[in-house]
């Protein structure tokens, strides 16, 4: 069964958006590479999963352009946990 969970929270002037899935995860040692343009995990080409390897690169660029970041961690039991962190605007 496919599973994706989203959750949000505010902390220390930042909005956090957590995205958790139960996909194949990222091979150990390749966590930072997934944000590089055109990067695909070694087994992704043979698995038949479509994509060009640009989605996470573009998402990270947008996050950084807004003063934020995206971090990735493997989930216990399989899958991944992405967290988008962007600063909240002061009341104007």
């Amino acid at each position: 069964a496919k599973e994706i969970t989203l959750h949000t929270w505010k902390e220390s002037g930042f909005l956090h958006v957590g995205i958790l899935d139960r996909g194949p995860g990222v091979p150990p040692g390749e966590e930072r590479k997934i944000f590089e343009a055109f990067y695909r995990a070694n087994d992704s080409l043979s698995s038949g999963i479509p994509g060009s390897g640009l989605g996470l690169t573009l998402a990270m660029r947008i996050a950084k352009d807004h003063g934020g970041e995206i971090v990735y961690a493997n989930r216990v039991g399989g899958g991944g946990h992405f967290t988008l962190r962007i600063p909240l605007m002061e009341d104007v």
Side-chain angles (χ1 to χ4, degrees), residues 2 25 28 34 76 86-88:
K2 294 182 180 186
I34 63 173
V76 174
I86 53 175
L88 294 168

Side-chain angles (χ1 to χ4, degrees), residues 32-48:
R32 289 185 168 258
K33 293 179 184 178
I34 63 173
F35 296 102
E36 296 175 7
F38 304 109
Y39 177 79
R40 306 245 353 234
N42 291 338
D43 61 311
S44 67
L45 294 175
S46 62
S47 69

